[in-house]
Amino acid sequence: MRVDRSVPGSAARGHRFAWRAAVCAAACASALMAPAARAAADADADAGAGADPSLPFKLTTGVYHVSGGGLPAGPGLDVNLRYTRGDDHWWVGAFRSPALDFSMPRAGWDRSVAFGDWRVLPSLQIASGGFVGGSVAVETGTTWVLGAGLGRTNLRNYANLNFDPNDAYSVYGSHRWDSGDTLALQLVRDNRQNPDQQNLHLVWRSPRPDGERLTVDLLAKQGTVGGRWQRRAGLSVGYDWPGWFVRAAWDPLVNFTPQNMWRVSTGVRF
């Protein structure tokens, strides 16, 4: 995983920070998006899964493992609590790696604001170390949805928890069938420090009986990693029940570092 700003020091210290950057990724979907479109997608996904408005909290625990890239392999744990009230969503979370003796608390907010046929989606996140980031997206449509957005941070050292570039623009579109199935295509491309790095997501959500839902996210990424231009494919699969959910993901060159990551997360709504 990438820290958004380089850290001076010896080569050995640089390896330690690179490892820290890689393992700080977590499986929660509530981190700052690049830009806010993912926050809106999360809210839409919860509604599609038959989420009960009387269960406004969502608690997610993520376990993951990084390896490769000539850096030490290691596990990590992340816990995230999300609260929904009307069109507002608030969250707090914390990452911890005992092996690194490292932790990172964070908090954030996002909202959907309607203006006729248009929706504006702002978000804000803060984290330890003085990190501040924000994003805004604009979208329109119901059966067919088109949108675009922009994310920015203050470039403080930060473990990027959303697995897409934060200082980036995004464009996306989706279609919802009468059956409730949704297919979405989203491009997220860095336009600040690493302008050749981009992620392309193709996401299919399919409702199942009794308020359940299957989600499949195909990832195509490309960009410079360690001085070499590279291209990889990843996959995330999730299944939701009305009261709880589970996710699993394979993310090669996670956040454009030399390491690969497996992620598994589960959570409950209450």
Side-chain angles (χ1 to χ4, degrees):
M1 153 152 285
R2 183 182 65 205
V3 170
D4 289 334
R5 203 173 186 178
S6 61
V7 180
S10 66
R13 186 183 178 198
H15 281 177
R16 288 198 299 270
F17 274 99
W19 182 32
R20 174 179 296 182
V23 296
C24 284
C28 67
S30 60
L32 174 71
M33 160 116 191
R38 177 153 302 174
D42 290 340
D44 178 71
D46 283 344
D52 188 342
S54 66
L55 306 176
F57 291 94
K58 182 167 74 171
L59 179 64
T60 305
T61 300
V63 179
Y64 49 89
H65 188 271
V66 291
S67 60
L71 299 172
L77 175 69
D78 189 83
V79 178
N80 187 87
L81 178 64
R82 182 178 178 92
Y83 173 68
T84 298
R85 183 175 181 178
D87 293 326
D88 289 286
H89 310 276
W90 305 84
W91 67 85
V92 293
F95 162 80
R96 176 65 176 162
S97 173
L100 292 175
D101 191 25
F102 175 78
S103 63
M104 190 192 75
R106 65 189 184 278
W109 162 88
D110 65 73
R111 178 181 175 86
S112 176
V113 183
F115 295 94
D117 294 334
W118 295 85
R119 295 175 296 277
V120 178
L121 313 168
S123 76
L124 177 68
Q125 180 168 298
I126 59 175
S128 58
F131 173 86
V132 179
S135 63
V136 63
V138 179
E139 66 179 32
T140 186
T142 52
T143 301
W144 288 93
V145 175
L146 293 175
L150 181 70
R152 279 294 179 265
T153 74
N154 62 355
L155 296 179
R156 292 289 185 92
N157 294 330
Y158 170 66
N160 179 5
L161 298 175
N162 67 0
F163 312 113
D164 286 320
N166 278 329
D167 289 278
Y169 69 84
S170 72
V171 291
Y172 57 95
S174 68
H175 178 69
R176 183 189 299 272
W177 284 267
D178 292 340
S179 64
D181 288 84
T182 301
L183 186 66
L185 183 67
Q186 180 186 43
L187 172 69
V188 183
R189 187 176 181 94
D190 191 306
N191 68 340
R192 194 173 187 184
Q193 292 189 304
N194 304 279
D196 72 338
Q197 295 179 351
Q198 71 173 41
N199 285 345
L200 182 66
H201 295 270
L202 181 65
V203 183
W204 173 55
R205 291 189 175 96
S206 180
R208 299 304 187 201
D210 302 319
E212 300 173 8
R213 186 190 69 245
L214 172 67
T215 302
V216 179
D217 182 349
L218 299 176
L219 167 66
K221 64 169 56 179
Q222 64 182 44
T224 300
V225 178
R228 296 176 53 197
W229 194 88
Q230 302 192 54
R231 179 179 290 166
R232 294 290 190 277
L235 174 67
S236 174
V237 178
Y239 201 89
D240 288 68
W241 292 263
W244 66 289
F245 54 90
V246 63
R247 311 265 191 270
W250 163 247
D251 193 351
L253 302 180
V254 59
N255 283 323
F256 297 97
T257 67
Q259 294 202 294
N260 304 318
M261 176 180 285
W262 285 100
R263 301 192 293 268
V264 177
S265 64
T266 187
V268 295
R269 299 180 177 91
F270 59 97

